[in-house]
Amino acid sequence: MEGKTSGGVDTNKTKLSQLRSKYAEKPWNETLQLVRRCMDKSKTDSRSSPLYLRCLGRIHEALNVSSLTAMVSRLEMIAKQRGLGSHRSPTETTYYLTSDMFYLEVLLLPGGGVEDVKVAHHGEAPVSWEALLTLLRSKRFEDFSMKLDCFSSLYNIRGDNETKIKIYTALQHLEKDLVKISQLPRPLIDHDLHVDTILNGRIGKVTLRREGNPLSIKYYISPYDQLTENADAECNSGQAALVTAGASDSTHRLQMTCLIQRPPIINTDGLPVFSPLDSVTSEILPACFFLRLQPPLPMFSSFIRKMHQITEMTMYETDLQWLPFPWLLATSLEESSCFDSLAGEDAHFFVPLPDNQMHSYVLAGDMWGIAALKGALVHNIPFTHPAHVPMLLELLRHQAAINTLLSSIVTHHRPCQGSEPDLHCEVLPESESSFSVSFPLPDPGCLGVLLVNLKDSRQITSRLFTLCSKYSSIDEYITRVLKRCMSIPLVMRAICRRLAQSSYLDTLRLYIPALPLP
């Protein structure tokens, strides 16, 4: 649309001037009707330029959708923008937006309203999609288009139509096997069934694929998030993984049928025995499955290597940024003010607590910066077999528990000038799954060291090391508090209160020797 004549005159401006003069004396209603008639003519050329589509889209947005023809025109525009096919039914009561893997049915009303929106995956019956129906009824076309684009991206698989259908078939059978694993009987560990399923289920809380959302697995939830979690409503708290399929740089053998036998045979680990992947039960395809982590999870390099050993596949994220782990956690919080704490070699955080208390936590850069304790933010985990999922999720739970504890001291809080923290602590790594917290004891000149060890997300222990034997009997108490709150500052506050109480009782015993032990 850019151009100049040989004399240097802008031809675009000339054309606009001619259009203005041509329609200057015509009524606005007549011009508007002409624009609508031009837009109502279906454009069958799929190679329309992006500039043309943007201009047409802006015109659509400026016009009120108040008729059946206007609604069809707007849907046609959205389909072109998203690279989808589209057509109207012979009865002209339904408009279809189509792709190789799915299609949408928009049931229209005579006045331009929408009766229903249904989505149909390949080989499946159409199912109503309430979210898209709400968007169209409220004429939020941009949000409708964005939602449709997110849905389309789930099936962005390279290859011909036959290959895409086979990959989608493999995903369907994987989903059925994962649901069967989640339904296997097991003993109840937590009194809350919903929380117990998330934290202790073989693969967590499974939500079936619906309304354009892939099958999801919630595998971890912190004690703080449990306070606001509602089992009957969608909630974004906790850690989840979406199960999808996508293109791979190499070929893999993927299942073409369910691999869990009926009835399932359970092995010694409490998991089903799977049928072998052979030429009958599987096919070699240029794709694999993915666990797409919601939100992305900071992971130690050692945990990422363990995942490689399980799946025998490498991460597809070529831009992994390896950072010392506390620095990685601070970055994942997306709090720009957190970065001030990381300006030097050591990270220094201040944590406010109830009753106007404040703790200071220092993480030494020379200890946390070694290569073995670096990590990366993981978004996607590729795998090829349903047996991989329980093992991967156990690692994810383990990492999420570690992150919950360490994140409890990573804050952007800054103390008021002149104020002094009530407790100074130093947090040092002992391994990728254990760390120590050093702090002063109530007795002058005495130092205490709390050792926290996470064998996995459920086996969490803590021990207090001091030179004073009177403090050695509270390990069980500390572990109970730690598991209940999963917060280092709250545990340290509980320890300080218990030690202060013990010191107070020792003072009383100087005057009342018969006072019993706590």
Side-chain angles (χ1 to χ4, degrees), residues 354-401:
D355 302 326
N356 295 320
Q357 291 189 23
M358 183 172 61
H359 290 182
S360 166
Y361 293 91
V362 176
L363 292 84
D366 57 344
M367 296 293 291
W368 286 97
I370 62 176
L373 293 176
K374 288 189 175 182
L377 191 64
V378 175
H379 294 74
N380 304 308
I381 303 172
F383 68 100
T384 58
H385 196 283
H388 296 160
V389 177
M391 294 183 286
L392 292 174
L393 291 178
E394 276 303 296
L395 285 175
L396 291 174
R397 282 171 170 160
H398 191 180
Q399 183 69 74

Side-chain angles (χ1 to χ4, degrees), residues 51-111:
L51 180 59
Y52 162 76
L53 292 176
R54 285 199 303 272
C55 292
L56 190 58
R58 293 185 67 179
I59 295 175
H60 273 292
E61 292 171 6
L63 296 175
N64 183 33
V65 177
S66 56
S67 67
L68 179 60
T69 304
M71 177 61 76
V72 169
S73 182
R74 180 61 66 89
L75 292 174
E76 181 185 28
M77 186 70 239
I78 292 173
K80 287 184 178 181
Q81 290 174 337
R82 298 307 176 193
L84 302 173
S86 63
H87 65 275
R88 201 166 173 181
S89 67
T91 60
E92 299 188 348
T93 58
T94 305
Y95 196 81
Y96 293 92
L97 294 87
T98 63
S99 76
D100 293 336
M101 301 305 299
F102 69 92
Y103 67 88
L104 256 68
E105 292 183 7
V106 181
L107 279 64
L108 302 171
L109 296 173

Side-chain angles (χ1 to χ4, degrees), residues 25-198:
E25 298 179 357
K26 291 183 178 294
W28 170 246
N29 288 338
E30 183 178 335
T31 304
L32 183 60
Q33 290 175 6
L34 177 61
V35 171
R36 286 190 180 277
R37 284 199 301 270
C38 293
M39 293 174 64
D40 289 343
K41 294 181 179 179
S42 178
K43 308 297 187 299
T44 58
D45 186 3
S46 61
R47 298 169 297 175
S48 301
S49 70
L51 180 59
Y52 162 76
L53 292 176
R54 285 199 303 272
C55 292
L56 190 58
R58 293 185 67 179
I59 295 175
H60 273 292
E61 292 171 6
L63 296 175
N64 183 33
V65 177
S66 56
S67 67
L68 179 60
T69 304
M71 177 61 76
V72 169
S73 182
R74 180 61 66 89
L75 292 174
E76 181 185 28
M77 186 70 239
I78 292 173
K80 287 184 178 181
Q81 290 174 337
R82 298 307 176 193
L84 302 173
S86 63
H87 65 275
R88 201 166 173 181
S89 67
T91 60
E92 299 188 348
T93 58
T94 305
Y95 196 81
Y96 293 92
L97 294 87
T98 63
S99 76
D100 293 336
M101 301 305 299
F102 69 92
Y103 67 88
L104 256 68
E105 292 183 7
V106 181
L107 279 64
L108 302 171
L109 296 173
V114 179
E115 180 181 353
D116 197 3
V117 177
K118 297 182 179 181
V119 60
H121 300 275
H122 177 79
E124 299 179 5
V127 178
S128 295
W129 191 343
E130 185 66 29
L132 287 184
L133 175 62
T134 301
L135 292 176
L136 283 184
R137 281 181 171 175
S138 58
K139 300 182 181 179
R140 294 163 54 189
F141 295 106
E142 184 175 352
D143 292 338
F144 175 86
S145 180
M146 293 299 297
K147 182 76 172 176
L148 194 57
D149 187 49
C150 293
F151 177 55
S152 300
S153 66
L154 298 175
Y155 303 97
N156 187 18
I157 303 172
R158 296 194 299 266
D160 55 29
N161 193 37
E162 182 180 358
T163 301
K164 291 180 180 180
I165 291 174
K166 288 181 178 180
I167 294 173
Y168 182 67
T169 301
L171 177 62
Q172 288 177 304
H173 290 300
L174 170 72
E175 292 174 344
K176 293 176 182 178
D177 279 340
L178 294 181
V179 170
K180 290 178 183 177
I181 296 174
S182 70
Q183 294 173 344
L184 292 175
R186 61 178 182 84
L188 187 67
I189 299 175
D190 193 283
H191 68 280
D192 187 320
L193 178 59
H194 176 69
V195 173
D196 184 73
T197 303
I198 296 173

